[in-house]
Every structure is written in structure tokens, then in C-alpha cells.
Amino acid sequence: MILQIETRQLGGDVTVLVFTGRITIGRESQRIETMVNELVAQDRKKLIFDLSGVEYIDSTGIGIIAFTSATLNQAGGGLRVSGARGKVEHVFEAMRLANIVPCYPNVDAALKAFEPA
């Protein structure tokens, strides 16, 4: 399945990118970096990647998420990942991605993580 990306704005300054399909090597996944750069240029620097519709992710996809997280952190924002399950969650655990990018069970939990303590 080709990667589909839907963008929606949540309350305040948080943007959710909802992914459906597979995040693997190829042009479709490169769109993620392009979209993030465009959002940062629009001063939208707090992002949630909703992966609940992702059925598979490879090492390229993990690299894109890690790189995107670094880009957002350098811009003064941040990245949260939500909804990873099944094979995607297993890859995250094996690659220890949660040490780099905070992961949450759903978008609501990820959104709350952006709230000041």
C-alpha cells in the first residue's frame, strides 16, 4: 500500500500527521521530510506522527523519524509518535526508538505530553 499522509491541526500549536500504509525506502517516505520542513517554515514545530494506520516500517522509516525528531528539536519544537502497534511497535522496541522519540498509545496522550508541566 502506498503511504498516505493526512495533516490536521489540533488545539493550539500542535499538528498531527496521520500515516496510512507503509513507511519504507522510496519517494513516498521522502515526502515526510519535505512536509516536516514545510511545517517548520510555517512555524508549526510541534508534531505528532499518528502511526495507527501504518502496517509496516523499515529501517529507512525509522531513520526518517529519528532525523525528523532532531530537525524539530533544533527548531525549538518536538516530535511525539502515537499509535504504533503490531509489527511497527515491535520494530520501535527493537531499534529502541522510544529513547529518541517519545511514543504514546494514542494522539490524545501524545498531545497531553506537549502541555507544560
Side-chain angles (χ1 to χ4, degrees):
M1 173 183 246
I2 293 176
L3 179 65
Q4 297 176 9
I5 308 169
E6 176 188 326
T7 304
R8 66 178 206 242
Q9 190 71 26
L10 290 184
D13 57 351
V14 179
T15 303
V16 179
L17 276 67
V18 181
F19 298 94
T20 306
R22 301 165 61 91
I23 303 177
T24 60
I25 192 167
R27 252 186 297 172
E28 292 300 315
S29 295
Q30 291 173 345
R31 285 183 23 228
I32 298 169
E33 290 179 56
T34 302
M35 290 179 79
V36 168
N37 289 332
E38 289 170 359
L39 290 167
V40 168
Q42 297 168 18
D43 204 32
R44 294 164 64 185
K45 302 174 190 170
K46 293 181 181 177
L47 304 183
I48 297 172
F49 283 4
D50 180 356
L51 304 183
S52 58
V54 175
E55 60 195 39
Y56 179 78
I57 189 167
D58 68 6
S59 60
T60 300
I62 295 294
I64 288 170
I65 291 172
F67 179 78
T68 298
S69 177
T71 298
L72 291 164
N73 288 336
Q74 289 174 351
L79 176 65
R80 307 291 183 263
V81 170
S82 73
R85 60 180 188 258
K87 292 178 184 178
V88 175
E89 183 179 28
H90 178 72
V91 170
F92 274 38
E93 290 170 358
M95 301 294 292
R96 299 177 195 237
L97 189 64
N99 293 338
I100 300 168
V101 182
C103 298
Y104 299 90
N106 55 52
V107 171
D108 289 338
L111 179 61
K112 286 181 183 175
F114 276 119
E115 295 175 2

